[in-house]
Amino acid sequence: MKMKKSEVKPFKEALLLLRARLRGDVHTLANAALSSSTVNVSAVPSHIADLGSDTFELDNTLQLITNEGETLEQIEGALERIESGDYGICVECSGKIPKMRLQVIPYTPYCVKCAAQIQEEER
Ligand SMILES: [Zn+2]
């Protein structure tokens, strides 16, 4: 089951923000900050706020990041999957990635099961 465009949108916005932060793209961040104080912009921050602050914290997500280069690659991959309509589907088993997981790690290409397996193999 593919996600609807409207469902994917907040994740796409979160990914773009994350990517900007990782790249140290101050300009993009400044724009995002500005748009939160204006009313008629297509409001990135309000969508992120809609996800609920307890499940979606960019700062917490960033704390999970150990390898920024790898994370950037995963973000790029996730954005590609959004474009191709495959976002939210595990690249390993084609299973659905739970939304709760995507809210914590929006760039993950794997479901919980496959991610655990891959971590296991990498050890
Ligand atoms: Zn999987």
Side-chain angles (χ1 to χ4, degrees), residues 58-119:
L58 279 179
D59 286 329
N60 287 348
T61 307
L62 286 172
Q63 278 170 17
L64 294 173
I65 294 166
T66 49
N67 186 329
E68 292 193 357
E70 194 180 305
T71 305
L72 264 179
E73 267 173 41
Q74 291 194 328
I75 290 171
E76 294 293 347
L79 288 168
E80 275 170 32
R81 288 196 300 283
I82 285 173
E83 293 308 317
S84 61
D86 294 327
Y87 184 70
I89 295 168
C90 176
V91 298
E92 191 70 22
C93 71
S94 302
K96 202 179 173 195
I97 303 173
K99 262 196 185 174
M100 280 294 286
R101 176 168 170 76
L102 290 172
Q103 281 167 2
V104 180
I105 323 172
Y107 49 81
T108 186
Y110 306 117
C111 67
V112 183
K113 208 178 67 187
C114 293
Q117 253 172 24
I118 285 159
Q119 266 188 354

